[in-house]
Amino acid sequence: MAEAIKNRIDLDYSKYDFKDEVKYVYQAKRGLSREIVEEISYWKNEPEWMRQFRLRSLEIFLKKPMPTWGADLSEINFDEYIYYIKPTDRKGRSWDEVPEKIRKTFERLGIPEAERKFLAGVGAQYESEVVYHSLREDLMKKGVIFTDMDTAVREYPDIVKRYFGTVVPPEDNKFAALNSAVWSGGSFVYVPKGVKVDFPLQAYFRINAESVGQFERTLIIAEEGAEVHYIEGCTAPVYSEDSLHSAVVEIIAMPGSHVRYTTVQNWSKNVYNLVTKRAVAYEGAFVEWVDGNLGSKVTMKYPAVYLMGKGAKAEILSIAYAGAGQHQDTGAKIIHAAPYTTSNIVSKSISKDGGRTSYRGLVKVQKGAIGVKSTVRCDALMLDEFSRSDTYPYMEIEEELVSIGHEATVGKISEDQLFYLMSRGLTESEALTLVVLGFIEPFAKELPLDYAIELNKLIKLEMEGAIG
Amino acid sequence: MPTLEVKDLYVSVDGKEILKGLDFTVNKGEIHALMGPNGSGKSTLAYTIMGHPKYKVEKGDILFEGKSILDLKPDERAKLGLFLAFQYPVEVPGVTLFNFLWKAIQANNLDSTSPRIKQLPKSVVDYKKELLEKIKKLNMSEIFVYRPIGVGFSGGEKKRMEILQMAMLKPTIAFLDEPDSGLDIDSLKIVADVVNSVRNPELGIVMITHYQRILNYIKPDFVHIMLDGKIVKSGGPEIVEKLEQEGYAWIRETTAEAAD
Ligand SMILES: Nc1ncnc2c1ncn2[C@@H]1O[C@H](COP(=O)(O)OP(=O)(O)OP(=O)(O)O)[C@@H](O)[C@H]1O
Ligand SMILES: [Mg+2]
């Protein structure tokens, strides 16, 4: 039976694997240089401070060495990528204003439908630029801002200037520097004091062209007591040449606010996904990262929360799936910089067909942060003997009056579990599906219903489909 | 034709021979008790009949209604009407019994037009109704079926969940592997009541047990004693009395004599 388990789980990608023949307004030539960065800045018609920020970031990028830890990045050739593609001249406020081919793409991905059903606002990015943006009228009236980052730089310079690059400075790491130099698109979310956004805001990122880099930049600010749930989805067609996705996400959670950020990335298996996501949480604020990694060739992503104010709280819940040729190097990072802060990390990973998952996590408690509570739990499931899973949990505890828990399990699907389920009449693939869905259930139940259903479908399709 | 017939069965696990020429027959409507010392191979027999991939049939055959089932997978055997209440039920994190059992019933419904299948609920509404009735009979709370299978259940709760599944799936031949071990006296009586309530001419039960107590509630028609991979003695309920008084030494002696 163990042998039959192989080749059973492979996420079905056919739904996302289609390419469009789109005529772009502008496409940069391959490679990265000062000229390219200036061109991007020129096309965006942005203020001088941003142009300077980009150029400074480029210097940092060029100086910083590639990370030598984590996944294998040796095949990345920065000269091969196209760093900027402008797909259209203007951004639509209704889907009718979006060029037909691009609109069809998003329809195929189900975005307008989800918008009608349960979203408070939607952003859609195609290659380097956001092509559509909407926000429910009543939220607009309450002062909520949900727009693309480029527009925000022009229209809300004060807020942007105050926070942009403060949570993830370009010096942070090579890919944060890269993003800072060539960033384009992404979301800007601002929720004023006390405003609760009742339905999720969603952004969808689509890469269509080959060898293209997507470098969106997202900034979320929740003022005191505000609440917001932001969802992000991403896909690309399958190409033989690699693409690069390197985003930066910054969240500022003011006292008493609550921010939840949900991502399920399902990039095609030729995408390098190297993302820096970080939040700061002030007194009594609550930040949640719900982070699903199913696609990409290589992902390195460690959502972080800096707990800066007393009683702030963080939860990081993630799943990773790695099939043939995939390496998901994911994890979480929590800095307890204030007393009575709490954090909870749950990480689940599944590897199959030689796929590799790594959990890399850091929990740091700074001196003086008394009464801190932190729990970390990582479970890995390997579906065959060719796959691999590693755990690298780091703890830096500088305070004594804290409570820290860590639990890790690494398991194979047990023959006895499958036999038990089959002995009631389920086929082997049905039994396997059930065990895997059960394994990721703690994650799935945190997703909005439609996404949970989609996730379950993805996993089911492959496991049941493959047995024929 | 016997419902289930085990013929000269030799079974090994990881190269170790455990069943060594076992013969055994059970029919619909009959209740059999299967007893024997620890390690004699009772669970091995049950697993083998259900098709556990680790248990290799080296020789002999297992026939269900006259046809060999050796090539069938566990789910195919389940759909024929075989059932096993596990001695050690497993845990399946994140999967509720409610969902699992409904999937199992749907899988059974798909496959066959046998009289057994006709009795299974066809809609989730009927399923839920029947499930709740049966949970009540087992004197359990509904919350157990909405919790992940086995996770955090007590030994006795796990056993009752096995009986619940049997009652819902309405098998033709059910092996109950020590349904009584770990149960307190009240639970034992409840489990016995439920087993008695599902007794019918279309169901054959093989109860594996170490103790007479459950057999006082569920009267077996036949009792078999297993020793070192074989059934060495079969008879009526009177065997149990004697076993309680004299232990397995008595069987060992008589079989040794017979072998001389
Ligand atoms: N999966 C296995 N791997 C190795 N040995 C096994 C396995 N299953 C059973 N055995 C061995 O086979 C023999 C019979 O085991 P089995 O569980 O069938 O006994 P049993 O009669 O059910 O005992 P008990 O009354 O203790 O439940 C034992 O010696 C046991 O160690
Ligand atoms: Mg046993």
Side-chain angles (χ1 to χ4, degrees), chain A residues 88-99:
Chain A
T88 159
D89 258 338
R90 55 174 190 166
K91 185 181 68 179
R93 293 227 171 251
S94 78
W95 285 104
D96 292 340
E97 295 171 61
V98 175

Side-chain angles (χ1 to χ4, degrees), chain A residues 73-124:
Chain A
L73 303 178
S74 60
E75 279 174 33
I76 291 185
N77 181 352
F78 289 107
D79 300 332
E80 287 291 308
Y81 300 116
I82 300 162
Y83 286 81
Y84 180 69
I85 294 181
K86 190 176 172 62
T88 159
D89 258 338
R90 55 174 190 166
K91 185 181 68 179
R93 293 227 171 251
S94 78
W95 285 104
D96 292 340
E97 295 171 61
V98 175
E100 190 184 346
K101 278 195 173 129
I102 297 176
R103 188 182 73 227
K104 289 245 162 75
T105 294
F106 288 106
E107 275 168 6
R108 235 169 126 168
L109 295 166
I111 311 304
E113 194 195 337
E115 177 181 13
R116 283 192 297 273
K117 268 163 78 181
F118 66 97
L119 296 170
V122 166

